[in-house]
Amino acid sequence: MDNSLEISETPHLRVRGLNVYYNGHHALKNISLDIPDKKITAIIGPSGCGKSTLLRTFNRLIDTIEGVKVKGEVMIDGVNIYDPKVEVTAIRRKMGLLSQRPCPLPMSIFDNVAYGPRIHGERGRQNLRNIVESNLRHVGLWEEVQDRLHKPASELSIGQQQRLCLARGLAVEPEIILGDESTSALDPVSSKKVEERFLELKNEYTIILVTHILRQAKRLADYVVFLYMGELIEHGPAAELFANPKESLTREYLTGIIS
Amino acid sequence: MNWRKIEEEFFLVMMRLASLLILAAFLAIMGTVIYYGLPALSWEMIFSAPKGGFYLGKEGGVANAIVGTFYLACGATIVSLIIGLPVTLVLNVFLKRGSKLAEFIRFSFDVLWGVPSIVYGAFGFTLMLYMGMRASLLWGIITVALVVLPAMCRAIDEVMRMIPGELQDASLSVGANKCETAFKVFARQALPGIVTATLISFGRAAGDAAAVLFTTGFTDAVPTSLAEPAATLPLAIFFQLGTPFPEVQQRAYASALILTALILLVSIAARLTGSRLSKYVIK
Ligand SMILES: Nc1ncnc2c1ncn2[C@@H]1O[C@H](COP(=O)(O)OP(=O)(O)OP(=O)(O)O)[C@@H](O)[C@H]1O
Ligand SMILES: [Mg+2]
């Protein structure tokens, strides 16, 4: 594994002076951050520190909450996604989301994966079949489901559902994968499978994971972002940050004094 | 015996009594309708329109009212579904979570739900006169659609509100817009609720007498167009029960039996199609 970590001059995702308010509650305070391309970045911090909020600003899902105000910039490929001219569906398409609880759509396994491509205009039957197969293979689900593709997705086990959701996200060819505690509802075996997928996918995708499991962050992350009460306390390469935290707050969190 | 045990016994007995009461009421109503109605029920009752002197005990049946009720209830249910489904989708997908406007709209529906149907009848009647039109099947459908719309919307809305936010996130995050999310994901997930809401609406529309009194009119002919007045079973029951002749009164019970059977048939059909369509719903 390549542990030297240079952030390229212009990474995909850059955050500049980001502030988020929920009805006046200041949930993210002046965050500026570059996310390294094709690496796994873990966002860690105690409950309520704003991890999910930060993740939701990346694909503008934060827009669906009433009374939210966002200030500052999130730049994807040099474009500020909060620019009014930007089309939000195009932004979201660049980012696959894997939520905490697996959330298959109320349709068949096949239709779940084909949902995104169909929406973006793919109609060819053979093309769709190819897309579904390759993405299900990508998440290691093809062997398990190939002879029941047209069964309801809800019949899968929870762990399988989560991998199906990952395949659904990958099917629209995103650049970035966002995961919000994506393994916390899964049993140990299933979460190991999902973690393995992440490690494989980081060769092609930029991955950002929110996690409250420090051991998971240590296992997976190349880069770590530590938030505390809405503030960005420290960020840096995982090996460095875990071995030698610069801030005392980080050290206290890593040693379990604050949680 | 300790206190908690007594408490539990007490509520168990109460629960059994309550269930028994509901069952008894159901059986009593069905029993009465069948006991008085069945002897008067005949093919003629179902398949022929009233002939001269039907309300005096002479020949004929209530085919006019059966067909009228069926048209009216179907029409009103379809109209209110066409309005209600988009409204609930707007409430749950297009408006943001925790929106004040959505809460206000829900409150309005709750209030409208409680308004007695005679008020809708009066409203429809006024509107009809204002437009310079006469009582007809069309105005009946419009008025009854208004009567059932609040219940329809709230019943669908309750199911849609249970849909977790993550499902919406999942759809939006692959680049779907709100419209696609609403119709491809929410409408599907809420399908069992939509079926139930449609059933409630059909039953209420078929059984309503007050809203159709002034707006639909009453006629002995089987309706053949929206512009004609139409008879309905509740009003037929009312007129028959109001005569002094015992044999006509008995026909009222037969009509009630037909009305109940009509609603039962539609319910069973809807449940069957509903359960087939909802196999993809995520639990
Ligand atoms: N919809 C909302 N309305 C108002 N306040 C909110 C909302 N969502 C989050 N908050 C607040 O914003 C802050 C950050 O929340 P967020 O969900 O981002 O935390 P988190 O780090 O993901 O926590 P957890 O680890 O528990 O998931 C919290 O103080 C929370 O109370
Ligand atoms: Mg969170």
Side-chain angles (χ1 to χ4, degrees):
Chain A
M1 205 168 80
D2 174 20
N3 263 332
S4 70
L5 193 96
E6 309 108 46
I7 295 180
S8 63
E9 282 299 296
T10 50
H12 273 323
L13 187 57
R14 325 179 73 164
V15 182
R16 289 292 175 268
L18 183 71
N19 286 279
V20 175
Y21 305 83
Y22 288 110
N23 293 316
H25 170 69
H26 202 169
L28 284 182
K29 298 167 188 162
N30 204 24
I31 310 275
S32 293
L33 183 67
D34 283 356
I35 304 284
D37 289 346
K38 306 213 167 162
K39 300 278 183 231
I40 296 180
T41 298
I43 302 176
I44 59 171
S47 183
C49 68
K51 305 183 291 295
S52 302
T53 304
L54 182 60
L55 207 67
R56 291 177 77 88
T57 58
F58 291 161
N59 62 357
R60 283 188 56 179
L61 270 183
I62 195 99
D63 292 8
T64 59
I65 301 168
E66 180 82 6
V68 171
K69 209 161 79 195
V70 180
K71 279 192 191 154
E73 294 181 336
V74 175
M75 313 280 284
I76 291 179
D77 300 326
V79 179
N80 177 19
I81 64 168
Y82 287 93
D83 190 317
K85 284 191 293 264
V86 162
E87 203 185 326
V88 65
T89 52
I91 293 299
R92 293 197 181 128
R93 192 189 167 166
K94 289 188 178 181
M95 277 174 275
L97 174 76
L98 203 55
S99 56
Q100 182 165 4
R101 271 187 301 158
C103 215
L105 301 172
M107 44 190 86
S108 69
I109 296 170
F110 185 95
D111 290 342
N112 258 277
V113 185
Y115 180 76
R118 278 190 180 131
I119 275 177
H120 298 294
E122 181 60 68
R123 285 282 169 270
R125 282 168 153 266
Q126 193 54 46
N127 286 354
L128 283 173
R129 224 171 287 156
N130 293 342
I131 291 171
V132 170
E133 175 170 350
S134 69
N135 284 291
L136 286 175
R137 281 192 192 283
H138 221 128
V139 299
L141 202 57
W142 177 253
E143 264 74 38
E144 294 161 55
V145 302
Q146 56 175 324
D147 40 76
R148 46 175 169 152
L149 287 174
H150 297 285
K151 287 276 165 64
S154 53
E155 286 179 8
L156 297 175
S157 76
I158 300 292
Q160 289 173 324
Q161 285 182 13
Q162 191 66 312
R163 279 180 288 149
L164 177 69
C165 293
L166 185 57
R168 180 184 62 211
L170 295 179
V172 294
E173 297 169 357
E175 297 166 10
I176 301 168
I177 298 171
L178 308 174
D180 193 348
E181 301 187 9
S182 308
T183 61
S184 64
L186 309 184
D187 61 278
V189 176
S190 301
S191 48
K192 187 151 172 284
K193 279 187 188 160
V194 172
E195 283 186 12
E196 282 164 6
R197 293 304 140 193
F198 282 142
L199 287 172
E200 234 175 76
L201 290 167
K202 76 170 178 179
N203 299 316
E204 300 160 69
Y205 303 91
T206 300
I207 301 178
I208 306 169
L209 303 176
V210 164
T211 179
H212 61 264
I213 311 167
L214 273 178
R215 266 176 298 142
Q216 187 177 51
K218 282 179 187 160
R219 277 197 300 272
L220 299 179
D222 303 298
Y223 200 78
V224 177
V225 175
F226 174 59
L227 296 180
Y228 187 73
M229 309 240 312
E231 282 180 72
L232 177 60
I233 304 297
E234 187 170 353
H235 60 110
E240 244 168 75
L241 190 138
F242 284 128
N244 267 318
K246 293 194 187 69
E247 303 290 328
S248 58
L249 268 172
T250 318
R251 197 171 315 121
E252 283 170 24
Y253 180 70
L254 292 178
T255 51
I257 296 173
I258 50 173
S259 64
Chain B
M1 218 155 67
N2 69 25
W3 180 243
R4 287 181 55 207
K5 187 125 183 165
I6 295 172
E7 201 176 56
E8 183 172 322
E9 288 288 317
F10 176 73
F11 281 107
L12 215 62
V13 171
M14 291 297 281
M15 253 151 56
R16 293 221 175 99
L17 273 179
S19 318
L20 222 64
L21 202 68
I22 289 170
L23 198 66
F26 175 73
L27 290 178
I29 291 172
M30 289 306 291
T32 312
V33 170
I34 291 172
Y35 180 78
Y36 290 109
L38 208 52
L41 196 63
S42 62
W43 293 121
E44 196 190 6
M45 251 325 259
I46 301 175
F47 289 112
S48 58
K51 311 231 164 72
F54 175 66
Y55 297 99
L56 302 172
K58 302 236 177 74
E59 269 119 73
V62 288
N64 60 331
I66 296 175
V67 175
T69 294
F70 188 71
Y71 285 168
L72 183 85
C74 285
T77 307
I78 290 168
V79 169
S80 77
L81 186 64
I82 289 173
I83 302 170
L85 185 59
V87 167
T88 48
L89 286 173
V90 166
L91 285 182
N92 289 284
V93 183
F94 286 82
L95 294 179
K96 294 176 182 182
R97 287 163 218 171
S99 152
K100 294 272 188 309
L101 179 62
E103 283 315 308
F104 178 72
I105 294 173
R106 288 187 174 111
F107 173 72
S108 315
F109 278 134
D110 286 344
V111 173
L112 286 176
W113 193 346
V115 172
S117 70
I118 186 77
V119 178
Y120 289 95
F123 174 73
F125 183 63
T126 314
L127 203 64
M128 182 180 84
L129 291 185
Y130 180 75
M131 309 265 284
M133 292 166 92
R134 291 175 46 207
S136 63
L137 186 55
L138 177 70
W139 276 98
I141 288 176
I142 293 173
T143 312
V144 175
L146 289 177
V147 173
V148 299
L149 186 62
M152 172 84 91
C153 287
R154 286 302 269 131
I156 299 178
D157 183 52
E158 280 308 316
V159 180
M160 284 200 186
R161 275 215 286 186
M162 304 290 278
I163 296 178
E166 283 119 322
L167 199 62
Q168 188 177 1
D169 294 350
S171 171
L172 292 177
S173 69
V174 295
N177 61 28
K178 293 200 165 174
C179 206
E180 287 152 347
T181 305
F183 284 101
K184 293 188 174 159
V185 178
F186 270 62
R188 270 184 192 224
Q189 178 70 11
L191 206 63
I194 295 172
V195 171
T196 310
T198 309
L199 275 182
I200 295 174
S201 303
F202 185 89
R204 204 173 165 193
D208 200 286
V212 296
L213 193 57
F214 308 119
T215 53
T216 322
F218 197 85
T219 157
D220 284 350
V222 173
T224 53
S225 92
L226 283 172
E228 287 171 28
T232 50
L233 280 167
L235 285 185
I237 295 168
F238 175 70
F239 292 142
Q240 289 166 347
L241 217 51
T243 63
F245 313 107
E247 60 267 52
V248 180
Q249 286 176 359
Q250 212 172 30
R251 283 177 184 170
Y253 286 103
S255 308
L257 191 59
I258 294 171
L259 179 59
T260 314
L262 182 72
I263 293 174
L264 203 67
L265 272 179
V266 171
S267 304
I268 292 170
R271 280 261 175 262
L272 287 181
T273 44
S275 67
R276 186 163 306 159
L277 289 174
S278 55
K279 80 170 183 188
Y280 290 114
V281 168
I282 310 290
K283 275 143 211 131

